[in-house]
Amino acid sequence: KQEVTQIPAALSVPEGENLVLNCSFTDSAIYNLQWFRQDPGKGLTSLLLIQSSQREQTSGRLNASLDKSSGRSTLYIAASQPGDSATYLCAVASGGSYIPTFGRGTSLIVHP
Amino acid sequence: EPEVTQTPSHQVTQMGQEVILRCVPISNHLYFYWYRQILGQKVEFLVSFYNNEISEKSEIFDDQFSVERPDGSNFTLKIRSTKLEDSAMYFCASSLHRTSGSYNEQFFGPGTRLTVL
């Protein structure tokens, strides 16, 4: 059964810092990995989707990498802004099912 | 930009009552999903739906739950007799495809917060 772990659970940084959020998974036979953003009491916004054949995806200030062999993905946020404050979720689809297994998320606060 | 919509945003009900949560997936998508998130916990998969039938369901999705696509646009989740532990945020999602390629990216709605008293 796939287990997804996200470290750190919470992060508070000053504006302008470059950040790395980590996601690890136990079953490396994945189909894809998706990073989401969740604002308090709100839905999930898809940020980046990495297929198993890809090593990274980029969107604006966001870059996500995937290393299947080590069971890891990182989400890199460049030049963080207060508007980036949210919970970031990692979700991995694997094991004969395309249904994603979610991590608990990293709660990010970027203060001015 | 197309988006998944859900109604109501917040539903309060008494234990034992039936509730129906509604979703309008993105119009050209073929696969539909329900997830729930109990406060402070992980997002959990409930059920997926394709071609007017359930394609996968989790162990959470027991006989108290049912899904339906009553017309060409709506996708509903019914809980027949709500329990206190059903209190959670329920998310609907849709994707164009299920398997390979970028078309399996899932797009989520804003959620319905269900409170069972």
Side-chain angles (χ1 to χ4, degrees):
Chain A
K1 182 184 173 185
Q2 181 73 271
E3 297 287 340
V4 179
T5 304
Q6 291 187 246
I7 294 172
L11 189 59
S12 179
V13 299
E15 182 176 7
E17 277 205 5
N18 299 323
L19 309 171
V20 176
L21 307 183
N22 297 292
C23 172
S24 61
F25 45 93
T26 53
D27 181 357
S28 61
I30 72 169
Y31 298 114
N32 62 52
L33 184 147
Q34 198 166 352
W35 282 94
F36 293 90
R37 169 188 172 134
Q38 185 176 28
D39 292 282
K42 303 290 186 182
L44 281 64
T45 301
S46 178
L47 298 173
L48 291 164
L49 172 71
I50 310 177
Q51 303 295 340
S52 64
S53 59
Q54 297 173 324
R55 293 190 68 89
E56 67 176 349
Q57 283 285 341
T58 298
S59 175
R61 294 183 293 109
L62 304 179
N63 175 276
S65 66
L66 174 64
D67 184 344
K68 286 191 300 179
S69 60
S70 65
R72 293 183 184 184
S73 175
T74 59
L75 179 67
Y76 177 81
I77 304 176
S80 58
Q81 302 170 358
D84 294 330
S85 299
T87 296
Y88 290 81
L89 301 176
C90 171
V92 180
S94 62
S97 168
Y98 289 88
I99 302 302
T101 300
F102 283 80
R104 286 190 175 276
T106 293
S107 176
L108 172 65
I109 296 175
V110 181
H111 47 89
Chain B
E1 186 172 330
E3 58 183 17
V4 177
T5 59
Q6 290 186 243
T7 55
S9 57
H10 191 188
Q11 174 95 43
V12 181
T13 189
Q14 296 289 326
M15 190 169 56
Q17 295 296 305
E18 174 183 286
V19 294
I20 298 176
L21 310 182
R22 291 183 167 79
C23 168
V24 179
I26 294 173
S27 62
N28 63 334
H29 283 188
L30 302 175
Y31 293 87
F32 315 117
Y33 313 84
W34 283 102
Y35 295 82
R36 79 172 185 191
Q37 185 179 32
I38 296 171
L39 188 63
Q41 299 191 23
K42 293 183 182 185
V43 175
E44 302 173 289
F45 167 73
L46 294 177
V47 66
S48 62
F49 193 84
Y50 169 71
N51 199 26
N52 281 320
E53 59 183 30
I54 291 173
S55 49
E56 281 186 77
K57 61 181 181 178
S58 72
E59 55 197 26
I60 302 169
F61 193 87
D62 61 21
D63 292 345
Q64 291 298 312
F65 292 90
S66 63
V67 289
E68 190 179 27
R69 187 150 164 86
D71 54 42
S73 59
N74 290 283
F75 179 50
T76 61
L77 174 69
K78 182 193 291 186
I79 309 175
R80 288 190 182 80
S81 178
T82 50
K83 303 188 280 284
L84 295 176
E85 54 265 37
D86 293 328
S87 294
M89 194 77 152
Y90 288 81
F91 295 110
C92 174
S94 69
S95 63
L96 183 57
H97 290 302
R98 189 177 71 92
T99 55
S100 60
S102 61
Y103 304 112
N104 58 8
E105 184 174 5
Q106 293 192 21
F107 295 87
F108 281 69
T112 293
R113 179 166 300 284
L114 176 65
T115 302
V116 182
L117 303 176

